[in-house]
Amino acid sequence: MDLLQRAAQFLSQKGVPNPRLDAEVLLSHVLGCRRIDLYLRHDQPLRDDEIDSFRELIRRRGRREPVAYITGQKEFWSLTFTVNSAVLIPRPETELLVELSIRFIRRLREEKQGPISVLDVGTGCGAIALAIASETDEGVSIVATDVSSEALKVASQNASALNLHHRVCLLQGDLFSPLVGSQGEFHLIVSNPPYIARSEFAGLPPEVRDFEPRLALDGGEDGLHFIRSLLEEGPLWLDPTGAMFLEVGEGHKAPIEVILRELDSWGHWSWESDLAGTPRVLSLRPSAKDKGTVNTIQRQADLNG
Ligand SMILES: C[S@@+](CC[C@H](N)C(=O)[O-])C[C@H]1O[C@@H](n2cnc3c(N)ncnc32)[C@H](O)[C@@H]1O
């Protein structure tokens, strides 16, 4: 299709990393069909209004607006999420956090009777909380917080669209502040906090730097501002049998281990790497002194699934 070829060429000149793929995704969005269908209907002429709409989307992509903001959608955990410029576009590496969370919840369910409480701090479009909800039953209650009311509107929209609104309670506020009165109640705290260091901003791809919300990215001077707070406050909100799983940035492992040794409030931790081999998820269990006589070797084994 000549139109696709020209669009891909234009995007390539603008420095877009996968120009042909993006052109196809945007054309199938305009035509309301699947990407594969573009090839089945390659000899079908497009209407003028379809060509105009496609050109406008290609112009936006040429200004480096992410495809997900242009189409308003992103797949995560095989679920379709609505996204807009108020929320981070969920990343594939965050699925590791979901995978570990679900494994931990299933293990806990086998071991203990009664309801399980999960907290997702900084939920954005609701990706983590809703993916967990989609894989668990009503015995697992999920609270998701965000400081941004605009992000929570998107999360609420996604909860309804996925028919999971009865499973996730959305609360607005800074980190744990909307949860006062629930200290010690959560069996799992999960978070993908903002973790980009200030010095890294200039080097980010324009799609991220110029379009994704600063609030979702900015982790302070060293990128560890929110991670530090979560490590400091996490144990207070966890049930003694609970765990906290955090997504962290590249190069964070060493400085985080320094913080953990200083804090001395986490008994055990371990790291899981993403597909690129970067330590990406930190799994933590509260210190044994808060947990009585739990066998620490067993706990480490649990953590590693
Ligand atoms: C990296 S994004 C993660 C979004 C989503 N959980 C995901 O993984 O796709 C971080 C989120 O934390 C939220 N956030 C930033 N500062 C916060 C704070 N002080 N308290 C709670 N949430 C905060 C942002 O609005 C954003 O939605």
Side-chain angles (χ1 to χ4, degrees):
M1 207 181 266
D2 195 34
L3 184 69
L4 267 177
Q5 217 164 341
R6 273 184 284 128
Q9 222 163 26
F10 171 78
L11 294 182
S12 171
Q13 284 159 5
K14 297 286 176 186
V16 170
N18 298 298
R20 175 77 192 195
L21 172 68
D22 288 1
E24 290 181 7
V25 170
L26 293 175
L27 184 57
S28 52
H29 179 70
V30 166
L31 300 180
C33 68
R34 295 170 309 162
R35 239 177 87 217
I36 179 106
D37 296 329
L38 295 178
Y39 290 91
L40 302 175
R41 52 179 290 180
H42 70 279
D43 49 356
Q44 245 174 280
L46 299 184
R47 295 194 314 259
D48 287 349
D49 61 317
E50 289 170 335
I51 293 175
D52 288 348
S53 306
F54 179 58
R55 284 213 175 108
E56 175 52 23
L57 301 195
I58 289 294
R59 263 193 290 274
R60 286 171 67 182
R61 185 68 191 108
R63 292 193 287 266
R64 304 297 294 270
E65 185 172 350
V67 170
Y69 288 154
I70 299 175
T71 62
Q73 286 187 341
K74 181 71 185 174
E75 292 284 310
F76 178 81
W77 200 258
S78 302
L79 303 169
T80 302
F81 286 85
T82 288
V83 291
N84 64 25
S85 58
V87 297
L88 186 97
I89 299 164
R91 304 294 203 269
E93 57 266 31
T94 304
E95 293 190 337
L96 179 59
L97 201 55
V98 173
E99 196 180 313
L100 293 172
S101 300
I102 291 165
R103 208 190 299 165
F104 177 78
I105 292 167
R106 291 199 176 135
R107 189 172 278 262
L108 206 58
R109 290 225 89 173
E110 283 167 16
E111 286 171 5
K112 92 179 242 328
Q113 302 279 310
I116 288 176
S117 293
V118 176
L119 169 64
D120 172 19
V121 180
T123 198
C125 72
I128 298 170
L130 293 167
I132 294 174
S134 76
E135 297 280 348
T136 54
D137 63 27
E138 315 264 337
V140 179
S141 65
I142 302 167
V143 179
T145 68
D146 206 292
V147 76
S148 156
S149 58
E150 290 304 307
L152 288 173
K153 273 189 209 158
V154 178
S156 172
Q157 218 176 316
N158 282 320
S160 298
L162 295 167
N163 204 16
L164 291 167
H165 50 285
H166 57 295
R167 295 288 316 286
V168 179
C169 168
L170 299 169
L171 299 174
Q172 190 198 353
D174 176 34
L175 295 181
F176 297 99
S177 65
L179 303 160
V180 173
S182 304
Q183 284 91 336
E185 285 185 8
F186 295 100
H187 299 97
L188 175 63
I189 298 172
V190 61
S191 183
N192 172 20
Y195 57 66
I196 307 290
R198 295 262 162 85
S199 57
E200 288 176 59
F201 269 89
L204 290 173
E207 282 84 353
V208 181
R209 188 190 58 224
D210 302 337
F211 290 92
E212 295 204 86
R214 183 91 184 198
L215 193 61
L217 301 169
D218 190 345
E221 213 52 59
D222 59 359
L224 295 170
H225 174 79
F226 292 102
I227 292 173
R228 202 175 278 111
S229 300
L230 290 162
L231 294 175
E232 280 168 8
E233 294 180 47
L236 189 69
W237 302 89
L238 275 182
D239 178 274
T241 61
M244 182 160 87
F245 296 161
L246 300 182
E247 181 172 320
V248 305
E250 235 174 294
H252 280 165
K253 184 174 179 217
I256 286 176
E257 295 207 332
V258 172
I259 298 172
L260 287 171
R261 286 194 199 94
E262 277 167 13
L263 283 176
D264 195 30
S265 50
W266 295 98
H268 294 273
W269 64 81
S270 60
W271 297 89
E272 288 280 341
S273 296
D274 61 20
L275 291 175
T278 304
R280 185 60 70 186
V281 175
L282 170 62
S283 309
L284 303 133
R285 304 293 291 259
S287 170
K289 62 177 177 268
D290 303 324
K291 307 175 77 173
T293 56
V294 179
N295 180 319
T296 53
I297 295 169
Q298 180 57 42
R299 274 195 284 119
Q300 187 62 54
D302 289 350
L303 199 54
N304 295 333

